[in-house]
């Protein structure tokens, strides 16, 4: 209910925003003063503009559908309430991130979604692989976040040198152009380091495939539709900074295209239904970073939006399959599920067609625009790698389709008896997302002379960034319709070739007619080393384990031993020494100090007892003593005077 209400409010905000003139579509809301230290004053503020409103629609809209789906998927889980509390907390922090008006509020949301990711990935914490995956995600994200917070600190320091004590986006953007290019490059590279961790780009991509240990709706929400796109959103929000730092832009685009290709090759040979989609997510995020790296910010956000539709659909479809297969996720034990799960199959295929880049589905329009922008700006290598990655994407996603829904069922007899379609509470979100995957790209199609509605809507946000590209000496080229249509056709052909190759290798009727050397098993044997390399994900996890994890664990054990034997030895030795000194002090006090005091008291007591006998209290005794004493004195005087 809360997510549905959030979505309705987001729609209302969006409608009110577009009713305003483009120049006025930026509303700043200061809630309260959060930090006040000398000249630095930071308000807890939110910014409503075209970018944040669009992101809020994506987060709450897709989030609502996933919540509805989760009602059926998690109905039998004993931690049902805990699951939804974590899911709602995640949406809360994600909305805080995308609607923040300054860097510190953004960082609060940034860390909040990281925490919720840890809680949701390790939701089934009694399962070791799930708890390990949660810890892995948390630690890897902390590495990226370390760079992110350093970038914010360096930004504060840089602006303070100019007498600017504010972290609101508008204040930073107004004063950033006077910052030296080298300093600005350092700041943006540090900020991008945070995006690399949060959006699972190489080399910090290793957490996302393992994150599939969480419930499937979690994968759909956090690792397909929202959290992993936070890095792309952050770069887009800081379009002016990144535009004025062209070196950083090249780094962003380079890492993006490498990650897209790298992850797509791994996805070719994976057999876990969710793991294929996980590497697909890493690859598609690479496309988004290519877009924002070359300055095509609107294209990057466009692909972010369409990706949310078709990737959430694919993950939820995979969850429906896993639900029918009694938890089995291995595609080698599936097959022939179409007759049993027609709604799931049809909607999953819609998502597959969208990600493969086949028109008129939404994924085609957004991915093709990124490829066109790369080609138009002269990044020919990026365009070529992106085009080849599109071929790989079409191949591995339809390999998945054919292995899961076509051919003969390869599951055991018990599972085959219980194959069934998911309940309506799970299939209705699939249908809605399939419709969005089909028509969601219409807002980005340039069917008007002046361009696409989405680009015009986002123009006020990215206008300063595009101006920054011009100021930094980067060429912002104009479109060539004929060439664009030709490259569009090439993109479609490449996608279709990927689908046809997958059909030839994995669709049973066609597979039987293919030459033996085109049999997937034969190919794996012929190229065993390459297959092992891809199947084991280029051994990146093993390399990290050997080079980083194990040495750190050994160092930790050494530190533990040093702490146990040296630090604790010193502390314990000091404790024993203190106890010994206290014992000696105690004995000295008893036998010396108390002995001296007690001896003096005994002597006084003895003397007083002796002299007490003289003090009788009788007058005659005192007179006698007086006379005797007087006689002694007089006698002594006479005796000594005579002598």
């Amino acid at each position: 209910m809360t997510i549905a209400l959030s979505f309705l409010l987001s729609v209302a905000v969006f409608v009110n925003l577009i009713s305003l003139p483009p120049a006025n579509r930026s509303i700043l809301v200061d809630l309260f003063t959060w930090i006040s230290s000398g000249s630095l004053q930071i308000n807890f503020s939110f910014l409503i503009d075209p970018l944040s409103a669009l992101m809020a629609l994506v987060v709450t809209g897709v989030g609502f559908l996933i919540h509805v789906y989760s009602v059926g998927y998690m109905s039998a889980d004993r931690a049902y309430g805990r699951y939804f509390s974590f899911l709602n907390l995640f949406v809360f922090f994600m909305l805080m991130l995308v609607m923040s008006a300054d860097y510190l509020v953004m960082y609060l949301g940034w860390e909040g979604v990281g925490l919720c990711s840890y809680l949701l990935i390790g939701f089934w914490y009694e399962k070791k692989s799930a708890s390990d995956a949660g810890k892995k995600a948390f630690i890897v994200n902390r590495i990226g976040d370390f760079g992110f917070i350093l970038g914010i600190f360096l930004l504060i320091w840089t602006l303070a040198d100019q007498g600017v004590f504010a972290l609101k986006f508008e204040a930073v953007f107004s004063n950033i152009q006077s910052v030296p290019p080298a300093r600005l490059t350092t700041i943006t590279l540090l900020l991008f380091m945070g995006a690399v961790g949060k959006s699972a780009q190489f080399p910090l991509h290793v957490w996302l495939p393992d994150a599939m240990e969480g419930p499937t709706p979690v994968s759909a929400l956090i690792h397909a539709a929202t959290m992993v796109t936070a890095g792309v959103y952050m770069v887009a929000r800081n379009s002016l900074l990144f535009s004025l730092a062209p070196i950083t832009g090249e780094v962003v685009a380079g890492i993006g295209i490498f990650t897209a290709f790298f992850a797509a090759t791994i996805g070719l040979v994976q057999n876990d239904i969710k793991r294929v989609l996980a590497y697909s997510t890493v690859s598609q995020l690479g496309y988004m970073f290519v877009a924002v790296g070359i300055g095509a910010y609107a294209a990057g956000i466009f692909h972010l939006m369409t990706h949310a539709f078709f990737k959430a659909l694919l993950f939820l479809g995979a969850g429906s399959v896993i639900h029918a297969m009694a938890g089995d996720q291995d595609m080698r034990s599936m097959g022939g599920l179409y007759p049993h799960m027609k709604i799931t199959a049809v909607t999953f295929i819609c998502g597959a067609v969208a990600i493969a880049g086949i028109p008129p589905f939404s994924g085609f329009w957004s991915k093709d625009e990124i490829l066109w922008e790369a080609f138009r700006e002269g990044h020919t290598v990026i365009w070529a790698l992106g085009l080849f990655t599109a071929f790989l994407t079409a191949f591995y996603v339809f390999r998945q389709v054919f292995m899961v829904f076509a051919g003969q069922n390869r599951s055991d007899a018990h599972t085959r008896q219980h194959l069934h379609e998911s309940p309506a509470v799970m299939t209705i979100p699939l249908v809605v997302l399939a419709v969005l995957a089909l028509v969601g790209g219409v807002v980005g199609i340039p069917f008007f002379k002046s361009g696409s509605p989405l680009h015009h809507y986002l123009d006020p946000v990215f206008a300063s960034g595009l101006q920054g590209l011009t100021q930094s000496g980067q060429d912002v080229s104009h479109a060539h319709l004929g060439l664009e249509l030709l490259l569009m056709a090439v993109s479609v052909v490449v996608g279709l070739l990927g689908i046809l190759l997958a059909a030839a290798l994995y669709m049973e009727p066609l597979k039987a007619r293919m030459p033996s050397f085109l049999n997937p098993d034969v190919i794996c044997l012929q190229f065993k080393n390459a297959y092992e390399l891809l199947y084991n994900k280029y051994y990146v996890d093993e390399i990290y384990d050997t080079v980083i994890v194990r040495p750190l664990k050994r160092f930790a054990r050494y530190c533990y031993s040093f702490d146990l034997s040296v630090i604790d030895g010193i502390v314990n030795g000091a404790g024993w020494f203190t106890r010994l000194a206290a014992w000696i002090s105690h004995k000295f006090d008893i036998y010396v100090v108390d002995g001296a005091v007690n001896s003096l008291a005994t002597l006084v007591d003895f003397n007083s007892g002796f002299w007490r006998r003289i003090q009788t209290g009788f007058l005659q005794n005192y007179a006698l003593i007086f006379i005797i004493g007087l006689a002694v004195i007089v006698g002594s005087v006479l005796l000594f005077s005579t002598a």
Side-chain angles (χ1 to χ4, degrees), residues 353-373:
V353 174
I355 195 175
I358 305 302
F361 286 82
S362 59
F364 164 74
W365 303 108
S366 56
K367 186 186 295 184
D368 184 74
E369 182 179 355
I370 293 173
L371 293 176
W372 163 243
E373 291 288 347

Side-chain angles (χ1 to χ4, degrees), residues 189-426:
L189 284 174
L190 288 171
L191 293 177
F192 177 60
M193 183 176 171
V196 168
K198 195 68 70 184
S199 295
Q201 295 295 283
F202 182 88
L204 300 181
H205 67 285
V206 292
W207 67 270
L208 193 142
D210 289 357
M212 299 302 107
E213 290 291 341
T216 301
V218 169
S219 304
L221 179 63
I222 298 182
H223 306 115
T226 50
M227 173 185 156
V228 292
T229 60
V232 180
Y233 165 79
M234 185 274 293
V235 176
R237 172 59 72 190
N238 291 279
S239 60
L240 178 59
L241 274 67
F242 283 84
S243 297
L244 293 173
I247 295 176
T248 303
E250 295 293 334
V251 172
V252 172
I255 289 180
I257 195 60
F258 176 79
T259 304
F261 172 75
F262 173 84
T265 58
I266 297 174
L268 296 174
V269 298
Q270 300 302 309
N271 296 313
D272 185 299
I273 188 172
K274 288 175 65 177
R275 195 167 287 269
V276 173
L277 297 177
Y279 281 104
S280 170
T281 297
V282 176
S283 182
Q284 295 303 306
L285 288 166
Y287 275 110
M288 298 177 207
F289 278 109
V290 167
V292 296
I294 63 176
Y297 301 107
I301 296 300
F302 183 25
H303 196 56
L304 183 155
M305 182 189 73
T306 60
H307 176 264
F309 300 151
F310 60 71
K311 186 52 64 65
L313 170 60
L314 290 171
F315 266 115
L316 296 186
S320 182
V321 171
I322 295 168
H323 181 75
M325 293 291 295
D328 190 357
Q329 298 182 194
D330 193 334
M331 296 189 297
R332 292 170 295 186
S333 61
M334 299 178 186
L337 295 184
Y338 176 78
H340 307 281
M341 311 179 67
K342 291 184 179 179
I343 297 177
T344 298
V346 171
T347 54
F348 191 94
I349 292 170
C350 288
V353 174
I355 195 175
I358 305 302
F361 286 82
S362 59
F364 164 74
W365 303 108
S366 56
K367 186 186 295 184
D368 184 74
E369 182 179 355
I370 293 173
L371 293 176
W372 163 243
E373 291 288 347
F375 187 88
R376 187 180 66 157
E377 298 300 329
H379 301 281
T380 310
V381 174
I382 290 178
W383 171 80
L385 272 176
L387 190 66
F388 185 60
T389 301
F391 168 78
L392 298 178
T393 303
F395 174 80
Y396 69 65
V397 75
F398 272 89
R399 168 183 177 266
Q400 186 176 45
V401 168
F402 297 134
M403 288 183 70
V404 173
F405 297 106
Q408 299 296 319
N409 188 270
R410 298 177 292 275
S411 61
D412 57 74
H414 177 74
T415 303
R416 284 197 297 270
Q417 290 175 359
H418 295 85
L419 289 175
H420 62 281
E421 182 60 273
S422 298
V425 71
M426 294 171 63

Side-chain angles (χ1 to χ4, degrees), residues 554-568:
R554 284 196 296 269
F555 179 69
R557 284 193 292 269
Y558 292 149
C559 290
Y560 173 72
S561 299
F562 182 81
D563 179 71
L564 196 64
S565 58
V566 179
I567 304 299
D568 286 356

Side-chain angles (χ1 to χ4, degrees), residues 4-16:
L5 181 60
S6 298
F7 175 65
L8 292 176
L9 290 174
S10 298
V11 171
V13 168
F14 176 78
V15 171
N16 289 332

